[in-house]
Amino acid sequence: MHRSAGVAMAWNVFRFCTALRGLGSIMILLVLAIVGVTYYAVVLCNYGPALLLGGGTTLAALAVLLLFHFLLAMLLWSYFSVVFTNPGSVPPNWNLDFDEERGETAPLSSSEYNSQTNSQQSMAVGDTGNPRVRYCRKCNQLKPPRCHHCSVCGRCILKMDHHCVWVVNCVGALNYKYFLLFLFYTFLETTLVTLSLLPHFIAFFSDVDIPGTPAALATTFLTFVLNLAFSLSVLGFMIMHVSLVSANTTTIEAYEKKTSPRWMYDLGRKKNFAQVFGNDKKYWFIPAYSEEDLRRMPALQGLDYPVRSDLDGQEL
């Protein structure tokens, strides 16, 4: 009885993961459709025509349109960076043996890798002799610290946070910053749209005659409601991720370490922030890293993370 229930649950989860894979380009098209409707309402129906009115109205419309297009460009840049950036995969023959002479992790030879893999398969999950290294039975390979298997992507993801259906990709070590910037610019853009369309929304419930076609008025109304909903929901999501970054943890790790009062990767807010956004301030607000940060900060590559000296031996 219990076996049948377990098989049914595994099958349901598999079907759910398959459905998420199938969303694919549909979610991207949905995002672009929302952007298109918003652009039509703000630029073509309201503030574009306001440029021709002259006086202070023209200046206000110009300011709104300039800010709108800037935030939209940053939003789309961040969004497609998340979509098309590999969140981080485990390199072939990865191991935690550190080569002090070269200052990097040395790969295992084929015989060494097969020997180590076979020995790990005979152990219980997670019992690798090193609390920071585990074994993935689905991928049949060792897992680096903070790495988790994604059932939707079907592979292990470095410092996996979650699988996001909106970006049709996992959010992991290599694109987490881009995801946070996507949230940030989405919040600013939706807030700007909500505030700029608020007078038009209020006019719907007044006795004032509203210029425009019924289609334009309906689009404006829909755009205001959509952007208000998105701004509030993204704000809550963004606050959650700010707290995660400040503690140097992920959504998955936050759940796993609920019983642990101290976190071995928490190095303080400043260093925790740098492990996501880098040290170069010029790159903090764009979906990219400086070559200097990529060269000098191994954490940005997703394979090696410094730990607190007082908790170096803590179990994950």
Short mmCIF file of all heavy atoms in Angstrom, two decimals, residues 6 31 52 55 80 89 133 140 157 199 211 230 235 252 254 264 293 305-307 313:
data_model
loop_
_atom_site.label_atom_id
_atom_site.label_comp_id
_atom_site.label_asym_id
_atom_site.label_seq_id
_atom_site.Cartn_x
_atom_site.Cartn_y
_atom_site.Cartn_z
N GLY A 6 3.84 5.66 -2.85
CA GLY A 6 5.11 6.29 -3.18
C GLY A 6 5.34 6.37 -4.68
O GLY A 6 5.79 7.38 -5.21
N VAL A 31 5.55 36.95 -20.79
CA VAL A 31 6.25 38.12 -20.27
C VAL A 31 6.30 39.22 -21.32
O VAL A 31 6.02 40.40 -21.04
CB VAL A 31 7.68 37.75 -19.83
CG1 VAL A 31 8.49 38.99 -19.51
CG2 VAL A 31 7.64 36.83 -18.62
N LEU A 52 2.47 66.19 -27.30
CA LEU A 52 2.02 67.19 -28.26
C LEU A 52 1.18 68.30 -27.63
O LEU A 52 0.79 69.25 -28.32
CB LEU A 52 1.18 66.51 -29.37
CG LEU A 52 1.87 65.35 -30.10
CD1 LEU A 52 0.91 64.72 -31.11
CD2 LEU A 52 3.14 65.84 -30.80
N GLY A 55 3.80 72.83 -23.02
CA GLY A 55 3.87 73.31 -21.64
C GLY A 55 4.40 72.26 -20.67
O GLY A 55 5.17 71.37 -21.02
N PHE A 80 16.57 38.58 -19.90
CA PHE A 80 17.14 37.65 -20.87
C PHE A 80 18.52 37.14 -20.43
O PHE A 80 18.95 36.07 -20.87
CB PHE A 80 17.20 38.29 -22.25
CG PHE A 80 15.86 38.36 -22.92
CD1 PHE A 80 15.20 39.58 -23.09
CD2 PHE A 80 15.22 37.21 -23.35
CE1 PHE A 80 13.96 39.64 -23.68
CE2 PHE A 80 13.97 37.26 -23.96
CZ PHE A 80 13.34 38.48 -24.12
N SER A 89 26.68 24.39 -13.90
CA SER A 89 26.67 22.93 -13.94
C SER A 89 27.94 22.38 -13.30
O SER A 89 28.98 23.06 -13.28
CB SER A 89 26.57 22.43 -15.39
OG SER A 89 25.40 22.93 -16.01
N VAL A 133 30.73 17.95 0.82
CA VAL A 133 30.60 17.25 -0.46
C VAL A 133 29.56 16.15 -0.31
O VAL A 133 29.55 15.41 0.66
CB VAL A 133 31.95 16.64 -0.89
CG1 VAL A 133 31.81 16.03 -2.29
CG2 VAL A 133 33.04 17.69 -0.88
N ASN A 140 24.56 10.63 -10.81
CA ASN A 140 25.66 9.70 -10.64
C ASN A 140 27.01 10.43 -10.59
O ASN A 140 27.96 10.08 -11.29
CB ASN A 140 25.66 8.67 -11.77
CG ASN A 140 26.52 7.45 -11.43
OD1 ASN A 140 26.63 7.07 -10.27
ND2 ASN A 140 27.13 6.86 -12.45
N ILE A 157 22.57 21.76 -10.08
CA ILE A 157 22.79 23.18 -10.30
C ILE A 157 23.64 23.74 -9.16
O ILE A 157 23.34 23.51 -7.98
CB ILE A 157 21.45 23.94 -10.35
CG1 ILE A 157 20.56 23.36 -11.46
CG2 ILE A 157 21.68 25.43 -10.58
CD1 ILE A 157 21.11 23.48 -12.85
N PRO A 199 -3.71 58.58 -12.16
CA PRO A 199 -4.72 59.61 -12.47
C PRO A 199 -5.74 59.12 -13.50
O PRO A 199 -6.93 59.45 -13.39
CB PRO A 199 -3.88 60.76 -13.04
CG PRO A 199 -2.52 60.56 -12.46
CD PRO A 199 -2.33 59.08 -12.40
N PRO A 211 -10.82 61.12 -22.77
CA PRO A 211 -10.54 60.97 -24.20
C PRO A 211 -9.95 59.60 -24.50
O PRO A 211 -9.31 58.99 -23.65
CB PRO A 211 -9.53 62.09 -24.49
CG PRO A 211 -8.85 62.32 -23.16
CD PRO A 211 -9.89 62.08 -22.12
N PHE A 230 1.69 43.22 -9.86
CA PHE A 230 3.08 42.78 -10.00
C PHE A 230 4.01 43.55 -9.05
O PHE A 230 4.92 42.96 -8.47
CB PHE A 230 3.56 42.93 -11.44
CG PHE A 230 3.19 41.77 -12.32
CD1 PHE A 230 2.31 41.92 -13.38
CD2 PHE A 230 3.73 40.51 -12.08
CE1 PHE A 230 1.97 40.84 -14.18
CE2 PHE A 230 3.39 39.42 -12.89
CZ PHE A 230 2.51 39.60 -13.94
N LEU A 235 7.63 43.12 -4.81
CA LEU A 235 8.21 43.76 -3.63
C LEU A 235 8.39 42.73 -2.51
O LEU A 235 9.46 42.67 -1.88
CB LEU A 235 7.31 44.89 -3.14
CG LEU A 235 7.74 45.57 -1.83
CD1 LEU A 235 9.11 46.20 -1.97
CD2 LEU A 235 6.70 46.61 -1.40
N ILE A 252 16.53 27.25 -0.94
CA ILE A 252 16.62 25.85 -0.52
C ILE A 252 17.37 25.73 0.80
O ILE A 252 16.95 25.02 1.71
CB ILE A 252 17.31 25.01 -1.61
CG1 ILE A 252 16.44 24.97 -2.88
CG2 ILE A 252 17.59 23.60 -1.12
CD1 ILE A 252 17.08 24.24 -4.04
N ALA A 254 17.77 27.96 3.10
CA ALA A 254 17.02 28.56 4.20
C ALA A 254 16.05 27.55 4.79
O ALA A 254 15.81 27.53 6.00
CB ALA A 254 16.26 29.79 3.71
N MET A 264 27.37 28.35 8.26
CA MET A 264 28.82 28.35 8.04
C MET A 264 29.26 29.31 6.93
O MET A 264 30.42 29.72 6.89
CB MET A 264 29.29 26.93 7.72
CG MET A 264 28.74 26.35 6.43
SD MET A 264 29.14 24.59 6.21
CE MET A 264 30.92 24.65 6.20
N ASP A 293 36.76 40.79 -10.79
CA ASP A 293 35.97 40.05 -9.80
C ASP A 293 35.89 38.58 -10.15
O ASP A 293 35.99 37.71 -9.27
CB ASP A 293 34.56 40.64 -9.71
CG ASP A 293 34.50 41.89 -8.85
OD1 ASP A 293 35.48 42.16 -8.12
OD2 ASP A 293 33.48 42.61 -8.91
N TYR A 305 33.38 28.17 -1.87
CA TYR A 305 32.87 29.24 -1.03
C TYR A 305 33.64 29.29 0.29
O TYR A 305 33.81 28.25 0.94
CB TYR A 305 31.37 29.03 -0.73
CG TYR A 305 30.51 29.11 -1.96
CD1 TYR A 305 30.18 27.95 -2.67
CD2 TYR A 305 30.03 30.32 -2.42
CE1 TYR A 305 29.40 28.01 -3.81
CE2 TYR A 305 29.23 30.40 -3.55
CZ TYR A 305 28.92 29.24 -4.24
OH TYR A 305 28.15 29.31 -5.36
N PRO A 306 34.11 30.46 0.67
CA PRO A 306 34.77 30.57 1.98
C PRO A 306 33.76 30.34 3.10
O PRO A 306 32.58 30.64 2.96
CB PRO A 306 35.30 32.01 1.98
CG PRO A 306 34.43 32.75 1.01
CD PRO A 306 34.06 31.74 -0.04
N VAL A 307 34.24 29.79 4.20
CA VAL A 307 33.37 29.51 5.34
C VAL A 307 33.92 30.20 6.58
O VAL A 307 35.08 30.57 6.64
CB VAL A 307 33.25 27.99 5.59
CG1 VAL A 307 32.63 27.30 4.40
CG2 VAL A 307 34.61 27.39 5.91
N GLY A 313 33.85 23.04 10.34
CA GLY A 313 33.51 21.62 10.32
C GLY A 313 32.05 21.34 10.48
O GLY A 313 31.65 20.20 10.68
#
